Amino acid sequence: MGFARTCSVALVGVEGVVVEVQADLEPGVAAFTLVGLPDKSLVESRDRVRAAVVNSGGEWPQRKLTVGLSPASVPKGGSGFDLAVACAVLGAAERVAPREIADLMMIGELGLDGRVRPVRGVLPAVLAASEAGYRQVVVPEQTAAEAALVPGVSVLGVRSLRQLIAVLTDEPVPEEEEPQELGRPDPMLAGLTVPGAGMGTGVAAVPGAGAGRPDLAEVAGQRAARTALEVAAAGGHHLFLNGPPGAGKTMLAERLPGLLPPLTQQEALEVTAVHSVAGVLPPGQPLVETSPYCAPHHSATMAALVGGGNGLPRPGAVSLAHRGVLFLDEAPEFSGKVLDALRQPLESGHVVVARSAGMMRMPARFLLMLAANPCPCGRHGLMGDVCECSPATVRRYQARLSGPLLDRVDLRVRVEAVSRTELTGARAGAESSASVAARVQEARERSAARLHGTPWRLNSEVPGHELRTRWQPSPGALREAERDMERGLLTARGLDRVLRVAWTVADLAGHDRPMAPDIAQALQLRTGISRGVPVPAGEC
């Protein structure tokens, strides 16, 4: 009788569960049994592993073989267990020493010829292995750079099962030829991305500095919207732009990620883990260092937006936009149920999706930006009375965005049509994204110094109770906001959000705490009612 074990990782959403892969050989009729709640793709690993071992020069044991995946209660799927199953079988057959593989974490798919193919979700899998105390992992060569992002873990990237056997048995490591032709894409990288995954959700990383990056200086006019964009980036506040078609709402949204500071190391790991599991991590880019931008089409389903799918749920747009921007253009055209599903992640910063196959918790701390036309034809409120929509039609269209959802949006700005002078005139004084991003960075540094030692990072995350008791505005500054609350213009949540925006405005202005003009500007950005607050000259 032969027995050997090694380890791999099962992904439940973006969290990994360490799985012990055990192989047991007993006398009897040759058979291969795989137990431990595997899915269809994992059951098929029996044929892949057998062919890979034989084509790698090994001898397949002609005895009763049982491979168990423990814990058996955790659903397991995907082809990432192939490498661990093959090594466990070779250890049980004493082709490799069982003690050499007992403390190894192995992740990878096997081709029939023994080549090791990359799989999605390597980063969260290695993070789970590191948290469980494993210090040596074996991954496909193409994902070695992604696995090496986890500190304190020794990574071995292999190209084939033959190479791994040679390493485990202290034999000379054979060289593997490059299978692809020069100038053609590597077919081995096909396992890292889901076809159409990026297009289906509109997810993209912000381009680096240089040519081709959207710049705020290209936007004509829209002083109020530009100010709201800067406040949203500085404090992490959600934003709603309402205005006629062609006014520049989409242009502003595309330039918002460029105002956000670069991701910290921890944030970059979080974002990369989600993108790796979802299959939208670009090959050759092991770490996402800039804020993601996700703009799904208005026909997106509930599963596409918050996560879901067959079997265990997969990350949706709210998770793909984690630490970045989620832009919903033509927001009233989205399903009402889909939009209202955003209410929980907007408050908590994560989404919990429950399905019959299991429950999954995914990060979803994003900056939401909504854009809408004032009516179905988009011309309501324009000069000349050109709108053909009836008052009832306009009300129904605007009511598609529910009150509870809009109550969670801090900034609401009316975007006016661009005039001929603004569009054709010289815009030499228009600020670039770099200038605004510098002010955003300074404001975030002020808020970070104030919030040091607390669990919050941005003004938008601070609970209202703390703002009312621990960080109070200047005396009398809230008088106008309190009157709006008494008149029903603000809810209790709305007053808290006005306080958060006021702190961001104060940070941008360099004030120690919000004063009456800061509160007035926050109210103007929240309610859309003019408070006589001029747009600062530096923010035009």
Side-chain angles (χ1 to χ4, degrees), residues 13 16 21 28 43 85 102 104 117 122 165 170 189 224 232 311 329 341 383 399 436 440 526 530:
V21 181
V43 169
V85 170
L104 281 181
R117 300 181 61 92
V122 166
I165 293 174
D170 292 328
L189 297 178
D329 199 5
M383 295 182 61
V436 179
V440 169
R526 170 80 182 181
S530 176

Side-chain angles (χ1 to χ4, degrees), residues 33 79 118 144 216 236 255 386 406 477 509 519 535 540:
T33 304
S79 56
L216 201 57
R255 284 147 183 80
V386 294
L406 289 180
I519 299 290
V535 178
C540 61

Side-chain angles (χ1 to χ4, degrees), residues 266-284:
Q266 179 60 35
E267 291 171 345
L269 289 176
E270 293 174 5
V271 173
T272 303
V274 175
H275 286 212
S276 178
V277 170
V280 296
L281 189 65

Side-chain angles (χ1 to χ4, degrees), residues 307-367:
N310 296 327
L312 285 175
R314 301 187 66 82
V318 296
S319 297
L320 295 174
H322 180 60
R323 303 297 183 187
V325 176
L326 176 63
F327 176 51
L328 302 185
D329 199 5
E330 306 292 346
E333 301 295 340
F334 282 79
S335 165
K337 291 183 178 180
V338 170
L339 288 175
D340 285 337
L342 296 173
R343 286 151 58 175
Q344 183 223 354
L346 285 176
E347 290 287 340
S348 62
H350 64 266
V351 60
V352 178
V353 181
R355 296 290 186 269
S356 59
M359 183 178 295
M360 179 177 63
R361 183 181 186 273
M362 293 173 287
R365 189 166 294 283
F366 54 89
L367 199 165

